[in-house]
């Protein structure tokens, strides 16, 4: 996949060989969208690139997105700790 490019699949139009490709393409599409979400890409942007509404994305990837909650909690906690240190004058260098 290329940055800025959405994911599109062609089911093969009833061709038996195309149906196999279509299944593989759907799997690849799912893997790509999952990778984007895991990488921290905003779900609205993932939906746009996938050509889906945000509602469809949440319906199909809700379980996956729930799994990212721990990651989000860690990032929030880290940011809060940094904010607190900065407020106390202990700003990290760099």
């Amino acid at each position: 996949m290329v940055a800025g490019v959405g994911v599109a699949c062609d089911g093969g139009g009833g061709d038996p060989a195309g149906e196999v490709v279509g299944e593989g393409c759907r799997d690849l599409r799912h893997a790509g969208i999952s990778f984007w979400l895991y990488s921290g890409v905003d779900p609205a942007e993932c939906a746009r690139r996938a050509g889906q509404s945000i509602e469809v994305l949440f319906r199909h990837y809700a379980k996956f997105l729930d799994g990212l909650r721990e990651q989000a909690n860690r990032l929030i906690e880290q940011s809060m700790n940094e904010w607190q240190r900065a407020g106390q004058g202990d700003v990290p260098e760099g």
Side-chain angles (χ1 to χ4, degrees):
M1 281 180 267
V2 178
V5 176
V7 179
C9 293
D10 180 11
D15 176 35
E19 290 176 14
V20 173
V21 172
E23 281 297 317
C25 191
R26 279 188 286 279
D27 291 343
L28 182 59
R29 183 176 192 274
H30 177 77
I33 295 168
S34 297
F35 179 75
W36 294 341
L37 291 167
Y38 182 79
S39 298
V41 176
D42 179 61
E45 179 62 16
C46 291
R48 186 190 70 76
R49 289 179 184 226
Q52 297 176 334
S53 68
I54 191 76
E55 293 83 10
V56 170
L57 184 109
F58 280 128
R59 184 170 48 242
H60 290 283
Y61 295 91
K63 192 173 205 175
F64 181 81
L65 290 167
D66 283 344
L68 296 179
R69 186 173 294 152
E70 283 298 314
Q71 179 182 356
N73 288 342
R74 283 192 301 275
L75 290 171
I76 291 168
E77 185 175 352
Q78 179 183 359
S79 294
M80 290 174 68
N81 289 337
E82 289 177 15
W83 183 269
Q84 185 178 17
R85 281 195 301 271
Q88 296 171 351
D90 186 19
V91 179
E93 295 181 25

